[in-house]
Amino acid sequence: MFIVVVGAGRVGSSLARAMLGDGNEVSCLDEDPESHARLDVGLESSWEDSGGQFTVGTGLEVDALQAAGIERADAFVAATDGDNTNIIISQIAKRRFDVPIVVARILDPLRASWYEEQGLHTICPTRIAIDMLAAEVRGATGSAKG
């Protein structure tokens, strides 16, 4: 499978390395050339020598998405630090390039829920953290009473 990940921060680079480790072809796109260093972390050789691709550019530019290989992508992940950017580029991947699997990281739980209802697959780390923290507190409270 060929996967395009936009955003090579902590989340995007870790996901990209995991997907590459699973035997997939992975291309990362990030506007910061320094973010490439995160892709090399933990690899025995460089990102490119391990089979990865890195493109400098913004995911809001069609030329940059094409340089990253979106036209042949089987999956697309929007993992920048901006909800608006992730929403827009996910819609571009889905509607313009017909990428079969499109996932957007959305930090705002209300927006993530709304866009999910509109047909955009979202992951909301904030909602996941809220649910996990609430479960821990409820568990601790329940065990203290019992």
Side-chain angles (χ1 to χ4, degrees), residues 132-142:
M132 291 176 74
L133 291 165
E136 287 296 317
V137 171
R138 288 180 184 125
T141 304

Side-chain angles (χ1 to χ4, degrees), residues 12 29 32 44 46 62 82 85 105 132:
L29 172 65
D32 180 7
E44 293 180 17
S46 74
V62 172
T85 299
R105 178 179 77 159
M132 291 176 74

Side-chain angles (χ1 to χ4, degrees), residues 64-86:
L65 290 168
Q66 289 174 318
I70 194 168
E71 292 170 316
R72 66 181 193 96
D74 300 301
F76 179 89
V77 178
T80 75
D81 60 1
D83 284 0
N84 290 337
T85 299
N86 290 343

Side-chain angles (χ1 to χ4, degrees), residues 60-63 65-66 70-71 88-99 102:
L60 293 168
E61 296 176 358
V62 172
D63 289 345
L65 290 168
Q66 289 174 318
I70 194 168
E71 292 170 316
I88 292 167
I89 63 177
S90 293
Q91 291 175 335
I92 291 169
K94 188 174 181 178
R95 294 182 179 157
R96 178 168 179 177
F97 293 101
D98 296 317
V99 179
V102 176

Side-chain angles (χ1 to χ4, degrees), residues 3-145:
I3 304 165
V4 174
V5 177
V6 179
R10 290 183 300 262
V11 172
S13 63
S14 295
L15 172 67
R17 287 193 311 273
M19 295 294 97
L20 191 69
D22 288 349
N24 297 292
E25 285 183 82
V26 182
S27 174
C28 284
L29 172 65
D30 197 289
E31 60 190 10
D32 180 7
E34 299 298 317
S35 66
H36 181 278
R38 288 187 199 94
L39 295 168
D40 290 334
V41 173
L43 297 178
E44 293 180 17
S45 58
S46 74
W47 173 250
E48 284 78 10
D49 288 344
S50 298
Q53 177 183 334
F54 182 75
T55 305
V56 176
T58 176
L60 293 168
E61 296 176 358
V62 172
D63 289 345
L65 290 168
Q66 289 174 318
I70 194 168
E71 292 170 316
R72 66 181 193 96
D74 300 301
F76 179 89
V77 178
T80 75
D81 60 1
D83 284 0
N84 290 337
T85 299
N86 290 343
I87 290 165
I88 292 167
I89 63 177
S90 293
Q91 291 175 335
I92 291 169
K94 188 174 181 178
R95 294 182 179 157
R96 178 168 179 177
F97 293 101
D98 296 317
V99 179
I101 300 167
V102 176
V103 184
R105 178 179 77 159
I106 308 297
L107 298 175
D108 181 333
L110 295 175
R111 292 176 83 195
S113 177
W114 190 85
Y115 278 98
E116 189 76 38
E117 290 170 9
Q118 305 312 307
L120 180 64
H121 185 56
T122 65
I123 299 293
C124 181
T126 308
R127 173 86 272 153
I128 294 166
I130 291 166
D131 292 347
M132 291 176 74
L133 291 165
E136 287 296 317
V137 171
R138 288 180 184 125
T141 304
S143 64
K145 290 181 180 179

